């Protein structure tokens, strides 16, 4: 509920407070508003934190190891072993030239190159997933970063020269041209004692299977399958922002270790760090997309994280703006035994898709944790956020084929559900207004006592007795906020992290995940919040303080949302309009009229005269 309760309302304070009876409640409400502003501001202006180690597993910094695929050309092959060695019996296998093979199903189009047996393009075919220009289907491969740090499904070992050879060699492929899934594709390479087989299997889903076997002189080599260079929606490398209002695409390392899911911000990810443990999955992810590896044998899984940086303009639209490092994270996953067998998911963090992809459980079957935790709803907030999202999706799929209208309808229902808590706060405030003269009389009685005087306890006891006699719950105005605040933050998470809102349109808004291009919604938020503050009674509050609250707080909230997703601004603006209508209705009720009468009477008393008529402001 965007507007919880106007802090101008006169309400109860703590028994020992020294000011007016509403000071405590006003302070609580001001703190709640400040908390929301700080939360939103932190989300937008959060600054880098000092680097910290990755999960508490075995971590080895490979200080002298160069990033995979970093060499521009293949290293010279090793000398031919002497006759009689294992390699002498292995015939050379290599292709004469570079060729490409494309594999397609309804969800993706993957283009493999036999140079390194790597992926050059991983294009999502769903029309909902396009680049920021909305003219091309999204390619999950970040081309600019991949040229420097390596392409997806390349191999990583702890030998930089071997990395170069494995990822620059010309493999023989089992097929070329275009393949339709279900199908398989195998790449083979053998030279000077090195034997490599990479096999990929495809079905009708987003998930593919991969098996890698590398031998050197007949001995297995631990070779991990890598996704080394970010994701394709990191368009800051192309001189534009994939998330308007942000110069960098937020990215993270995510994993499930022994059944526990967690994430690590890109800034904290170590480069060339080895993590051995029971990983059900490990992923490189950003706000809306992910590339995840799901080992077939989690108890023997090994993970290596990559963290590189590229200096890019702070303003993607201005190449001459100051350049600062942009994080490029990736990972490689394999098996401690050497041979690697796993599944790979590269696609959107869409609820129905990621929740259907299970990791391998203790029984060796796909019964482990799903990839659903890649959606950043939060741990305890997810308990509330997921039902809110499911309600939004239900409306979208059943009669409201527009995410904007679904947000408006859910927000209206949201506010109607919370209406009783708003009325509870108003009644609590009215009760406090009625007994305020008695509260002030008690305070005057003990006004000469010092704060440390033991007799102050008598004042507190007398106030508590008064509250009990008058049937006033001193926390009655605060308790509803305990219901409203978690719901607000959960709804914020839903609207911020839902890929379904990406490039969804409503009215003049072409993308509900991007800021309002005309800033109409933030302006309406400022106006509606000001009007609601203005027509809400505020007895006992200093006029200057009231003006400051009525003007400054709407401005702060409006400009905080200036560069936030328009879906969130649409929710907030809808809630403000509903609250304005509710406050107008309350002003016409006996509660509102009595509150305005008390406010007018107290204002006149402060001016030293009685008003000829007392009317509630409308």
């Amino acid at each position: 509920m965007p507007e919880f309760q106007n802090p101008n309302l006169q309400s109860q304070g703590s028994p020992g407070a020294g000011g007016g009876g509403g000071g405590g409640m006003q302070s609580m409400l001001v703190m709640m508003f400040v908390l929301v502003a700080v939360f939103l501001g932190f989300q937008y202006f959060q600054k880098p934190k000092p680097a910290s180690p990755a999960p508490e597993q075995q971590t080895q910094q490979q200080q002298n190891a160069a990033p995979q695929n970093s060499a521009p050309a293949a290293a010279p092959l090793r000398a031919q072993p002497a006759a009689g060695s294992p390699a002498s019996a292995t015939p050379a296998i290599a292709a004469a030239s570079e060729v490409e093979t494309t594999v397609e199903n309804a969800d993706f189009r993957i283009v493999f190159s036999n140079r390194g047996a790597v992926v050059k393009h991983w294009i999502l075919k769903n029309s909902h997933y396009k680049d920021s220009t909305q003219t091309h289907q999204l390619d999950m491969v970040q081309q600019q970063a991949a040229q420097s740090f390596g392409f997806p499904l390349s191999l990583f070992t702890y030998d930089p020269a071997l990395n170069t050879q494995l990822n620059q060699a010309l493999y023989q492929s089992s097929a070329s041209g275009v393949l339709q899934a279900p199908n398989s594709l195998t790449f083979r390479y053998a030279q000077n004692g090195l034997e490599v087989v990479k096999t990929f299997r495809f079905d009708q889903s987003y998930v593919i299977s991969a098996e890698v076997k590398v031998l050197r002189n007949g001995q297995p080599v631990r070779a991990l399958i890598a996704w080394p260079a970010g994701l394709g929606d990191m368009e800051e490398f192309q001189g534009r922002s994939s998330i308007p209002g942000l110069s960098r695409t937020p990215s993270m390392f995510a994993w499930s270790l022994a059944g526990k899911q967690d994430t690590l911000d890109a800034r904290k990810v170590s480069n060339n760090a080895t993590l051995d443990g029971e990983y059900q999955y490990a992923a490189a992810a950003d706000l809306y997309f992910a590339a995840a590896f799901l080992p077939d044998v989690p108890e023997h899984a090994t993970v290596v994280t990559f963290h590189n940086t590229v200096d890019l303009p702070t303003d993607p639209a201005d190449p001459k703006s100051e350049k600062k490092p942009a994080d490029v994270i990736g990972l490689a996953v394999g098996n401690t035994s050497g041979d690697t067998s796993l599944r790979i998911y590269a696609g959107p963090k869409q609820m129905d898709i990621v929740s259907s992809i299970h990791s391998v459980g203790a029984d060796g079957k796909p019964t482990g944790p799903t990839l659903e935790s890649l959606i950043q709803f939060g741990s305890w907030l997810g308990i509330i956020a997921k039902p809110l999202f499911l309600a939004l999706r239900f409306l979208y799929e059943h009669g409201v084929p527009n995410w904007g209208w679904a947000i408006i309808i859910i927000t209206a229902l949201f506010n109607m559900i919370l209406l009783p808590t708003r009325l509870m706060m108003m009644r609590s405030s009215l009760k406090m207004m009625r007994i305020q003269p008695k509260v002030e009389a008690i305070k005057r009685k003990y006004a000469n006592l010092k704060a440390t005087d033991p007799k102050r306890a008598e004042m507190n006891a007398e106030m508590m007795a008064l509250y009990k006699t008058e049937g006033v719950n001193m926390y009655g105005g605060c308790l509803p906020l305990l219901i409203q605040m978690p719901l607000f933050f959960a709804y914020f998470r839903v609207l911020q992290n839902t890929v379904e809102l990406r490039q969804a349109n409503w009215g003049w808004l072409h993308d509900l995940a991007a800021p309002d291009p005309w800033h109409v919604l933030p302006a309406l938020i400022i106006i509606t919040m000001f009007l609601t503050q203005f027509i809400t009674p505020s007895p006992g509050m200093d006029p200057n303080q009231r003006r400051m609250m009525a003007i400054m707080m709407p401005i702060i909230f409006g400009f905080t949302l200036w560069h936030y997703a328009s879906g969130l601004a649409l929710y907030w603006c809808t809630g403000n309009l509903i609250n304005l209508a509710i406050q107008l209705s309350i002003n016409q009720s006996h509660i509102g009229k009595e509150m305005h009468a008390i406010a007018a009477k107290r204002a006149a008393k402060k001016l030293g005269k009685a008003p000829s008529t007392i009317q509630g402001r409308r």
Side-chain angles (χ1 to χ4, degrees):
M1 188 169 180
E3 193 276 317
F4 309 110
Q5 168 66 14
N6 194 303
N8 297 345
L9 282 174
Q10 178 72 7
S11 185
Q12 67 269 33
S14 65
M25 182 59 185
Q26 291 163 5
S27 299
M28 173 66 74
L29 292 168
V30 171
M31 288 301 295
M32 288 296 182
F33 275 110
V34 171
L35 176 63
V36 176
V38 169
F39 176 81
L40 294 173
F42 177 77
Q43 293 288 321
Y44 182 71
F45 295 107
Q46 57 181 323
K47 299 183 181 297
K49 300 179 181 178
S52 64
E56 295 182 1
Q57 296 297 315
Q58 175 188 357
T59 303
Q60 300 173 293
Q61 289 294 341
Q62 309 301 327
Q63 299 292 347
N64 300 319
Q68 64 204 66
N69 296 348
S70 58
L77 297 177
R78 297 177 182 272
Q80 181 71 24
S85 68
S88 64
T90 303
I93 301 175
S97 61
E98 183 174 0
V99 295
E100 292 184 347
T101 304
T102 301
V103 183
E104 289 193 68
N105 67 11
D107 296 317
F108 58 66
R109 181 168 65 253
I110 304 176
V111 179
F112 287 87
S113 168
N114 71 327
R115 182 175 293 281
V118 299
V119 169
K120 289 297 184 74
H121 301 281
W122 195 306
I123 297 170
L124 304 182
K125 296 173 69 173
N126 191 309
S127 61
H128 293 296
Y129 306 124
K130 296 182 179 180
D131 62 15
S132 61
T133 67
Q134 299 194 27
T135 56
H136 300 95
Q137 295 303 125
L138 182 65
D139 188 349
M140 290 292 292
V141 180
Q142 214 312 306
Q143 295 295 326
Q144 289 74 18
Q147 293 289 344
S148 299
F149 307 117
F151 283 89
L153 309 195
S154 54
L155 298 182
F156 173 86
T157 70
Y158 294 99
D159 182 342
L162 181 58
N163 288 344
T164 301
Q165 184 176 357
L166 290 172
N167 298 317
Q168 293 291 336
L170 289 172
Y171 288 68
Q172 279 190 357
S173 59
S174 61
S176 60
V178 178
L179 302 179
Q180 295 294 329
N183 220 316
S184 65
L185 181 62
T186 299
F187 294 92
R188 298 178 184 273
Y189 173 77
Q191 192 78 298
N192 296 345
L194 182 66
E195 302 174 62
V196 188
V197 179
K198 298 174 72 172
T199 300
F200 304 99
R201 294 182 175 85
F202 313 89
D203 56 24
Q204 298 297 339
S205 71
Y206 277 95
V207 180
I208 74 171
S209 299
E211 297 175 8
V212 170
K213 186 179 184 68
V214 177
L215 298 176
R216 184 157 57 178
N217 297 328
Q219 298 300 313
V221 175
R222 186 189 293 193
L224 288 67
I225 303 176
W227 192 293
L231 300 172
D233 63 330
M234 298 171 62
E235 296 184 32
E236 54 264 35
F237 292 91
Q238 299 163 256
R240 57 181 184 264
S241 175
S242 61
I243 305 176
L246 296 179
S247 61
R248 301 287 188 265
T249 304
S251 56
M252 69 203 74
F253 169 49
W255 68 89
S256 177
L257 177 62
K260 296 181 179 179
Q261 293 78 43
D262 209 342
T263 60
L264 191 67
D265 187 84
R267 294 182 293 262
K268 300 179 182 180
V269 175
S270 299
N271 187 38
N272 289 332
T274 297
L275 311 170
D276 292 341
E278 190 181 340
Y279 284 89
Q280 282 90 17
Y281 70 77
D286 58 26
L287 203 58
Y288 300 123
F289 299 91
F293 294 92
L294 299 93
D296 288 348
V297 187
E299 54 267 30
H300 294 157
T302 181
V303 178
V304 174
T305 57
F306 306 121
H307 185 178
N308 296 287
T309 58
V310 176
D311 288 337
L312 295 176
T314 51
D315 181 1
D318 181 9
K320 296 182 179 180
S321 62
E322 181 185 2
K323 290 187 176 182
K324 291 186 177 180
D327 296 302
V328 181
I329 65 168
L331 74 162
V333 178
N335 191 298
T336 54
S337 68
D339 296 349
T340 294
S341 177
L342 49 73
R343 291 173 294 148
I344 304 161
Y345 170 75
K349 292 172 16 177
Q350 185 175 320
M351 177 70 73
D352 56 343
I353 297 175
V354 294
S355 62
S356 67
I357 301 173
H358 287 261
S359 60
V360 174
D363 57 359
K365 300 178 181 179
T367 57
T370 70
L371 299 182
E372 185 179 319
S373 61
L374 291 175
I375 304 175
Q376 294 294 292
F377 285 161
S379 52
W380 66 274
L381 279 178
I383 299 172
I384 307 172
K386 184 176 179 179
L388 283 174
F389 168 74
L390 293 177
L392 273 173
R393 192 178 69 179
F394 179 83
L395 277 178
Y396 177 77
E397 293 176 348
H398 297 83
V400 186
N402 182 281
W403 284 102
W405 286 114
I407 290 172
I408 291 172
I409 293 171
I410 287 294
T411 303
L413 294 173
F414 193 43
N415 279 268
M416 292 302 102
I417 291 172
L418 292 178
L419 179 59
T421 67
R422 182 183 177 90
L423 296 176
M424 184 189 303
M425 295 173 71
M426 298 292 289
R427 292 191 184 99
S428 178
S429 297
L430 179 57
K431 286 182 179 180
M432 284 302 302
M433 291 179 188
R434 288 170 179 167
I435 68 169
Q436 194 63 27
K438 296 181 181 180
V439 172
E440 292 173 354
I442 294 174
K443 289 181 178 179
R444 285 195 299 269
K445 180 179 175 181
Y446 296 92
N448 295 327
L449 297 178
K450 294 182 179 180
T452 57
D453 195 312
K455 289 188 178 181
R456 299 281 293 187
E458 297 179 11
M459 182 186 74
N460 294 340
E462 196 169 334
M463 282 194 176
M464 294 301 294
L466 174 63
Y467 292 154
K468 184 176 181 180
T469 302
E470 298 292 338
V472 174
N473 181 354
M474 61 181 295
Y475 302 110
C478 301
L479 291 177
L481 289 176
L482 299 179
I483 300 174
Q484 296 175 2
M485 293 297 286
L487 285 170
F488 161 73
F489 287 124
Y491 207 3
F492 174 87
R493 284 298 187 97
V494 168
L495 299 179
Q496 185 188 41
N497 293 279
T498 302
V499 68
E500 285 83 352
L501 296 185
R502 180 181 181 270
Q503 298 180 355
N505 60 74
W506 180 83
W508 71 96
L509 304 173
H510 65 278
D511 186 353
L512 290 174
D516 182 346
W518 303 104
H519 304 298
V520 174
L521 293 176
L524 284 175
I525 288 171
I526 294 172
I527 294 170
T528 53
M529 186 175 286
F530 169 78
L531 291 174
T532 304
Q533 296 265 27
F534 185 74
I535 67 173
T536 302
S538 54
M541 194 173 193
D542 179 76
N544 292 328
Q545 184 182 3
R546 180 177 184 274
R547 281 193 294 271
M548 182 191 72
M549 298 290 289
I551 295 174
M552 292 304 299
M553 292 194 69
I555 291 176
I556 290 171
F557 273 83
F559 282 99
T560 299
L561 290 167
W562 202 261
H563 294 292
Y564 261 91
S566 54
L568 181 64
L570 179 61
Y571 149 69
W572 197 289
C573 187
T574 302
N576 277 5
L577 289 169
I578 294 172
N579 284 327
L580 179 60
I582 290 174
Q583 188 60 53
L584 287 170
S585 300
I586 290 175
N587 286 354
Q588 301 300 319
S589 69
H590 71 280
I591 294 177
K593 290 180 180 179
E594 184 175 352
M595 292 177 75
H596 280 293
I598 294 173
K601 183 177 180 180
R602 289 186 181 175
K605 184 178 180 181
K606 285 186 177 182
L607 294 174
K609 61 181 181 179
S612 56
T613 58
I614 297 177
Q615 293 182 336
R617 185 183 288 109
R618 288 174 168 78

